[in-house]
Amino acid sequence: MRRLRCIIAALLAVLWTAPLSAQQPTGTIRGRVTDAATQQPLTTVSVTVGSHTALTQADGRFVLAGVPAGADTVRARMLGYGPARQAVTVVAGDAVVVDLALTAQAVGLSEVVVTGYGVQRAGDITGAVTAVTDSQFNTGRILSPQMLIQSKVAGVQVVDNNDPGGGLSLRIRGPTSVNASSEPLYVIDGVPLGTGAGGGLSAGRDPLNFLSPNDIETITVLRDASAAAIYGSNAANGVVLITTKGGKGRQGTGVEYSTSASASSVTRLPDMLNAAQFAAAVTQYAPSRIDSLRGANTDWLGLIDRTGYGQQHDVAFSSAGNDMSYRLSLGYLNQDGVIRASSTERVSLGLNYQQRFFSDRLNVRTSVRGSRAVDKFTPSDVLGNAAAMAPTQPVMDPTSATGYWDWNTTNASPSNPVASLNLASDHGTTWRSVGNAQAEYRMPFVEGLTAHVNLGYDLAKADRTTFYPSNLAAQVRQGQGLLFLANNTQVNSVLDAYGGYAPSRSYGPGRIDLVGGYSFTQSHAEYPSLRETGLSSNLLGDNGIPTAANVRNTRDIVDYKLISFFGRLNYNIGDRYLAALSARRDGSSRFGPGNQWGTFPSVALAWRISQEPFMRGVGSLSDLKLRASWAWTGNQAIGDYLQYPTYTYSDGQTKVQFGNTFVTTIRPSAVDQFIHWEKTSAYNAGVDVGLSNQRYSGSIDWYTKNTTDLIFNVPVAAGTNLGNFVTTNIGSMRNRGFEVILNARLLEGRASGLVWTAAFTASHNTNELLTINPNKSVSKILTGNISGGVGNFVEVLQPGVPVNSFFVYQQKYGANGKPIYSCCTNDSLLKMYVDQPTVRDTVACPAAPGCVGLYRPDGVINDADRRPFHDPAPKWILGHSSYLSYGRFDASFTLRAYLGNWVYNNVASANGAYQNLTGSGMPSNLHASVLTTGFVVPQYYSDYFVEDASFLRMDNITLGYAFTYRGQPLHVFATVQNAFTITGYSGVDPTAGLNGLDNNIYPRARTITTGLSVRF
């Protein structure tokens, strides 16, 4: 009985004290966590008091509610920083402020990196992601944002066309398509540009030129498929995320102004014969035309080039406070090209505004950018005519209708390039605005739960006018003159609505970060144009629309929609074991019923071995992480309505004659109604390493990308479809490679005062076209149309070799190293080229001479003897950047090397034969290679013209000096771009576009830029 009374008394005591425990007095701890060295706020820091945990927000602030009153300790920890702690006494009903500063250790691991629909710490990333900040950007006269990261990111090839602001191409880990686009998706402040791959609409130059490089804060490249898969059908070619500058940073209001001036000059032009050499060639090979030479000494290429001057001015007003920040920027750029009549002029305006409400629970951000770019283009025939026009002819002729000298012939001949420069015109204007409004709300009732809404737009209007007067010599020979007008518009809008859940509490052994939502994108574009030939008058030039013999009006209207559902789950166990799962389901209007929807999943895992107990304290190791991932992405960057036939009315030149009547026809296109997604399955394995608190860091990645259902434009048998070609899915390809990234703070200025940071990247990629569906009756497809002759193609799409491999004969060479040339006999080609083993002969082979296996030569040189021979893509891309500072001085330079890229020198092949002096037209100038080859008849398919274009180039060198004037910080600098190039290639530029065809391309310039910046 006594025991029973004791038990009852104990239970009553528990019941009596339980409410007291539940009602124990509590208080609140709030504060801010910053970097001890920079005083900048730190986000996603884990702050803990007892059993209560919170994560800091973007401004470094945290709130811990319901903390029991009394003495305790606040602890803060974050990957890449040493832990911090501070004693605290919590008073019931009150809030106590505790600010903490963390000391950087392996700080690179804690940097915030923008990823799809959110941000992550660099140390938590499980895929291959590279972020380049404005302090690492290339310097000098940068017209397009892509040039900021050239040679900075492993696995990324940036190809420009040298024209001022000209269109650029990016290849991330090689091409993934043949007919669909291989350009990455660009996303600016959460707004995807255009309608998928590429940058959208422009009047002819790069679509991203609307964005001033001075407004960009970071460019993040999602290199592997698992990192990009959250973007689904737009992610097969990689994703480039561009974040613009806001007002955050220095408190208060500030003004920044920068200005620069530049001068550019041509570094290399085609190597053509001079007047004396040309006259000697005519005397020997075309003596009947000696009398047509005028005895002048004209450097036509020298007459069309110039020093291209440029200027740029940027001013920005910014302000940052506790709850609000903004940045307003205005920019002006004017840059002349090194070829006359080419230039670009841009006026840009940008605004970033951020406001926090309701105790930082609601964060509203707005970004608006707009620009007007006026582009002038060198008339398309100028470069070719400057190379081919006879140097013995004069520039002016006062007796001609134009005042310029030209050949008096009706046959095809070179024309006076100076006349085209001064009489023809080609110009365009692009208006572009991209903006969005984003709202993020942290729910008060569930810790870590957020709601996001992003509403964005992309508006573009591009006008283009081209005019060739009918009295130009080339137009007289064709009996026409040309006027072309286009007024294209594109309106894109995007709505993203998604939720996030990233609580500070753990689920199981780790923390979760969950994102899921919906995206809707739509586009409406109109492409009206007018094309006239056979002009009746040149009086108004391009300021009017004259009557003409042939008039064609077109107006294409394109509507496009993409509907998406997406989700991502990140799981982190003690910063040691990391997992990322994502999936996206896309529905695209570009495919027919039954093929519109696709699902694109990804899986990525990482193990940070350096966080394991058995690895702590091992030498100077600060980070060691293994990564592995797989993803499935799609490519829908093709034309619209390809599953439906389109109908075209015949114009005045394509009507059908019935008796004496010409009838207008309506022609349907050939279609494959079952056309569907291109699909890419990608694998990636990587390792990240850091030493000495990330003073030395790097990574190695191995990857494989397999693309299936490639879309090709293939010929079809007559009578089987409503056209000669049809776009359909018939092939597959593979890209394999690896990438190496090394970063080092070589000198930190402690002893010498010299600070030196260096970065090195190396990437190797091999591409192979695996299959072309034999059921489509196609074994290979010729491509790479060249100048010279009619319908000559020197590249091939063929299984077993890289895409766009050169397809040529194997040239024979003499003992002197020169190509063997033979003319005018039945066996001339056999003397010049290797007869390939193409005939299967099981009797004579393999013993007979010339046999390769069971195949022998057939004794005839024909198309069967052409074989794939190298390709334009570099096998190795190497990059090195160094950043140095000493006292008030700073310097940087960037080196780039391509190895294993080949270029077809079409200027040499089209102008490298003496027959050009004796053809039906008047004699044209010759390429200097003819002095070596002795070719009389053009040899377009000789592998002599396929050259190794490997090179080493100093992309830029910059020297700067910082000082103060009347208390204001100033920085002056000078930059040399394209300082030197070391290459064995004989043509204009070893980076001759993605297709590797050097056909009168715009020459590369060396640019010297000087400028200053000041901050108030």
Side-chain angles (χ1 to χ4, degrees):
M1 179 64 75
R2 183 177 180 181
R3 177 178 294 182
L4 179 60
R5 286 198 299 266
C6 291
I7 293 174
I8 293 173
L11 289 175
L12 290 174
V14 170
L15 292 174
W16 180 70
T17 58
L20 296 179
S21 175
Q23 297 173 10
Q24 182 179 359
T26 62
T28 300
I29 300 176
R30 66 175 68 248
R32 192 166 181 257
V33 182
T34 58
D35 184 297
T38 66
Q39 284 75 55
Q40 293 298 307
L42 298 177
T43 184
T44 68
V45 178
S46 178
V47 182
T48 304
V49 175
S51 61
H52 294 72
T53 303
L55 297 177
T56 59
Q57 302 303 307
D59 58 358
R61 299 183 185 278
F62 68 91
V63 177
L64 288 165
V67 180
D72 211 326
T73 301
V74 180
R75 294 176 174 83
R77 63 178 295 273
M78 182 181 186
L79 186 67
Y81 283 84
R85 63 173 60 194
Q86 182 173 324
V88 63
T89 300
V90 180
V91 179
D94 284 346
V96 60
V97 176
V98 177
D99 291 335
L100 298 165
L102 301 186
T103 302
Q105 292 181 344
V107 66
L109 302 178
S110 62
E111 293 176 349
V112 176
V113 177
V114 177
T115 56
Y117 303 100
V119 297
Q120 283 185 278
R121 291 183 301 171
D124 294 341
I125 291 176
T126 53
V129 177
T130 300
V132 184
T133 64
D134 55 355
S135 63
Q136 301 167 311
F137 287 161
N138 287 317
T139 54
R141 177 64 73 238
I142 304 294
L143 276 67
S144 304
Q146 302 95 312
M147 297 301 295
L148 294 171
I149 62 171
Q150 187 173 53
S151 308
K152 304 290 185 179
V153 182
V156 175
Q157 180 187 7
V158 181
V159 182
D160 64 342
N161 68 359
N162 303 334
D163 200 6
L168 283 87
S169 294
L170 254 70
R171 292 294 178 268
I172 300 176
R173 296 183 167 182
T176 55
S177 185
V178 175
N179 270 32
S181 176
S182 287
E183 295 296 318
L185 171 70
Y186 293 97
V187 181
I188 296 181
D189 292 332
V191 179
L193 298 184
T195 58
L201 181 68
S202 78
R205 296 252 163 82
D206 194 81
L208 265 65
N209 285 357
F210 79 96
L211 182 60
S212 172
N214 195 58
D215 287 341
I216 299 175
E217 183 175 67
T218 61
I219 297 178
T220 303
V221 183
L222 310 183
R223 295 170 11 238
D224 80 325
S226 70
I230 193 69
Y231 289 101
S233 61
N234 291 324
N237 308 319
V239 180
V240 178
L241 306 176
I242 300 176
T243 303
T244 58
K245 295 176 181 177
K248 62 184 180 180
R250 189 178 61 168
Q251 295 290 308
T253 302
V255 179
E256 299 176 44
Y257 172 71
S258 62
T259 181
S260 63
S262 63
S264 305
S265 58
V266 172
T267 56
R268 186 188 288 191
L269 291 167
D271 188 11
M272 310 302 293
L273 299 187
N274 60 33
Q277 293 171 321
F278 178 76
V282 173
T283 300
Q284 180 177 355
Y285 291 93
S288 63
R289 291 184 167 177
I290 293 177
D291 294 341
S292 65
L293 307 186
R294 295 297 184 93
N297 185 9
T298 304
D299 179 7
W300 294 105
L301 289 167
L303 290 173
I304 68 168
D305 79 347
R306 65 180 178 185
T307 299
Y309 295 103
Q311 58 176 312
Q312 183 170 352
H313 306 272
D314 294 284
V315 61
F317 306 89
S318 61
S319 179
N322 291 330
D323 300 317
M324 180 272 293
S325 65
Y326 72 85
R327 184 177 188 271
L328 175 65
S329 63
L330 178 66
Y332 173 76
L333 167 75
N334 192 337
Q335 180 65 52
D336 293 333
V338 293
I339 301 298
R340 297 181 186 276
S342 63
S343 65
T344 185
E345 183 181 28
R346 178 185 66 215
V347 177
S348 60
L349 180 68
L351 172 65
N352 279 16
Y353 181 83
Q354 180 173 345
Q355 180 76 57
R356 290 186 291 272
F357 303 93
F358 310 128
S359 300
D360 295 342
R361 289 199 175 276
L362 176 62
N363 187 4
V364 177
R365 298 186 300 274
T366 299
S367 173
V368 179
R369 328 212 76 78
S371 74
R372 187 203 68 172
V374 178
D375 296 311
K376 295 181 180 179
F377 306 88
T378 301
S380 59
D381 63 343
V382 166
L383 283 165
N385 282 325
M389 191 67 178
T392 55
Q393 312 309 103
V395 179
M396 308 303 295
D397 180 5
T399 64
S400 72
T402 62
Y404 296 92
W405 192 93
D406 255 305
W407 295 111
N408 184 19
T409 178
T410 57
N411 294 322
S413 296
S415 300
N416 190 323
V418 180
S420 291
L421 275 177
N422 294 328
L423 299 179
S425 64
D426 190 357
H427 55 87
T429 303
T430 303
W431 290 266
R432 185 94 181 260
S433 180
V434 174
N436 67 329
Q438 302 181 67
E440 175 186 345
Y441 185 68
R442 291 190 294 116
M443 300 297 180
F445 48 84
V446 179
E447 190 265 335
L449 181 63
T450 56
H452 304 256
V453 175
N454 175 33
L455 182 62
Y457 70 90
D458 179 3
L459 308 178
K461 183 178 187 296
D463 297 338
R464 184 76 178 262
T465 301
T466 305
F467 172 72
Y468 287 83
S470 57
N471 58 354
L472 276 177
Q475 301 298 320
V476 170
R477 294 173 194 140
Q478 300 172 25
Q480 46 180 23
L482 168 69
L483 176 67
F484 174 79
L485 303 174
N487 305 107
N488 301 328
T489 60
Q490 189 177 75
V491 180
N492 303 325
S493 59
V494 60
L495 170 64
D496 297 325
Y498 58 98
Y501 184 55
S504 56
R505 60 162 293 189
S506 297
Y507 281 84
R511 300 194 316 270
I512 67 169
D513 184 348
L514 180 64
V515 173
Y518 165 83
S519 180
F520 175 78
T521 302
Q522 67 177 355
S523 172
H524 175 80
E526 297 190 10
Y527 306 99
S529 66
L530 166 69
R531 180 183 177 88
E532 291 188 343
T533 58
L535 305 181
S536 63
S537 172
N538 301 318
L539 182 61
L540 297 178
D542 58 9
N543 296 310
I545 302 178
T547 57
N550 302 298
V551 179
R552 182 176 181 182
N553 289 287
T554 62
R555 186 184 181 211
D556 294 329
I557 300 176
V558 177
D559 286 292
Y560 156 80
K561 291 181 180 179
L562 181 69
I563 299 173
S564 308
F565 302 90
F566 59 88
R568 179 180 60 220
L569 172 64
N570 294 328
Y571 195 66
N572 183 332
I573 303 177
D575 289 328
R576 287 187 294 170
Y577 309 110
L578 308 170
L581 310 175
S582 73
R584 180 166 177 136
R585 182 160 176 79
D586 283 342
S588 173
S589 64
R590 286 187 170 142
F591 305 101
N595 296 301
Q596 293 178 320
W597 288 90
T599 301
F600 307 100
S602 76
V603 179
L605 303 173
W607 177 26
R608 177 168 287 106
I609 305 175
S610 57
Q611 289 292 103
E612 295 290 351
F614 61 83
M615 291 294 292
R616 292 175 183 171
V618 175
S620 58
L621 186 69
S622 55
D623 185 39
L624 178 60
K625 182 172 67 174
L626 302 181
R627 297 178 281 106
S629 65
W630 168 84
W632 186 271
T633 56
N635 191 352
Q636 49 107 32
I638 61 173
D640 294 274
Y641 311 124
L642 293 181
Q643 71 274 25
Y644 304 115
T646 57
Y647 294 85
T648 304
Y649 282 87
S650 59
D651 57 20
Q653 296 176 312
T654 56
K655 293 182 178 181
V656 176
Q657 183 177 2
F658 288 94
N660 296 324
T661 303
F662 289 89
V663 179
T664 299
T665 61
I666 304 176
R667 306 185 306 277
S669 62
V671 299
D672 175 8
Q673 61 180 324
F674 302 109
I675 191 170
H676 52 271
W677 311 85
E678 292 185 340
K679 306 179 188 70
T680 298
S681 176
Y683 301 86
N684 190 95
V687 56
D688 300 331
V689 180
L691 300 171
S692 300
N693 289 332
Q694 300 302 104
R695 181 176 180 180
Y696 308 99
S697 62
S699 65
I700 302 176
D701 283 270
W702 296 264
Y703 64 86
T704 297
K705 296 197 304 182
N706 296 307
T707 304
T708 58
D709 293 331
L710 283 174
I711 295 175
F712 281 74
N713 190 34
V714 299
V716 293
T720 62
N721 213 313
L722 298 174
N724 297 324
F725 291 86
V726 67
T727 302
T728 185
N729 304 88
I730 69 168
S732 63
M733 78 162 65
R734 178 177 61 215
N735 286 278
R736 280 180 174 171
F738 64 89
E739 300 157 348
V740 178
I741 301 173
L742 298 175
N743 300 296
R745 301 194 301 273
L746 298 174
L747 296 174
E748 297 191 308
R750 294 193 182 102
S752 64
L754 178 63
V755 178
W756 180 13
T757 301
F760 173 79
T761 62
S763 56
H764 172 67
N765 184 76
T766 56
N767 170 270
E768 181 182 355
L769 185 63
L770 297 177
T771 61
I772 294 179
N773 189 340
N775 295 329
K776 302 290 184 177
S777 302
V778 178
S779 60
K780 62 176 176 283
I781 300 172
L782 295 180
T783 184
N785 192 18
I786 60 170
S787 174
V790 178
N792 289 323
F793 298 87
V794 296
E795 293 178 331
V796 69
L797 302 173
Q798 178 177 310
V801 298
V803 297
N804 296 325
S805 291
F806 298 109
F807 196 57
V808 290
Y809 294 127
Q810 184 177 352
Q811 178 75 49
K812 293 180 179 179
Y813 292 86
N816 58 3
K818 296 181 179 181
I820 295 174
Y821 179 72
S822 177
C823 178
C824 312
T825 62
N826 292 334
D827 61 350
S828 292
L829 292 179
L830 281 171
K831 294 178 181 178
M832 295 171 56
Y833 300 121
V834 174
D835 187 11
Q836 302 293 335
T838 57
V839 176
R840 181 179 174 86
D841 189 341
T842 58
V843 177
C845 290
C851 285
V852 176
L854 297 179
Y855 289 84
R856 62 170 175 79
D858 62 359
V860 178
I861 299 296
N862 52 30
D863 276 350
D865 294 294
R866 293 167 65 188
R867 90 289 190 209
F869 181 69
H870 298 295
D871 69 285
K875 305 304 172 290
W876 286 91
I877 300 178
L878 309 177
H880 168 70
S881 297
S882 275
Y883 312 91
L884 302 100
S885 64
Y886 182 81
R888 295 180 178 273
F889 290 94
D890 62 88
S892 64
F893 65 87
T894 300
L895 278 167
R896 170 167 51 120
Y898 282 9
L899 303 176
N901 56 306
W902 294 70
V903 171
Y904 178 84
N905 193 336
N906 196 192
V907 178
S909 68
N911 300 282
Y914 290 111
Q915 190 182 76
N916 290 16
L917 305 174
T918 61
S920 59
M922 301 307 290
S924 62
N925 200 10
L926 304 177
H927 191 269
S929 64
V930 74
L931 302 177
T932 300
T933 64
F935 290 161
V936 175
V937 177
Q939 303 299 314
Y940 301 116
Y941 297 145
S942 170
D943 67 13
Y944 173 81
F945 298 110
V946 180
E947 301 184 41
D948 185 352
S950 301
F951 68 89
L952 171 67
R953 173 172 291 157
M954 179 69 78
D955 277 330
N956 59 70
I957 307 173
T958 296
L959 178 64
Y961 181 74
F963 61 99
T964 58
Y965 179 73
R966 293 184 177 180
Q968 305 301 327
L970 282 86
H971 183 257
V972 295
F973 68 91
T975 299
V976 179
Q977 293 169 265
N978 190 27
F980 63 80
T981 300
I982 301 173
T983 182
Y985 177 61
S986 66
V988 170
D989 190 358
T991 57
L994 285 169
N995 62 358
L997 301 179
D998 182 352
N999 179 21
N1000 295 308
I1001 62 174
Y1002 198 100
R1004 184 169 291 274
R1006 177 174 295 114
T1007 302
I1008 300 175
T1009 304
T1010 59
L1012 67 86
S1013 61
V1014 59
R1015 187 173 70 239
F1016 303 97

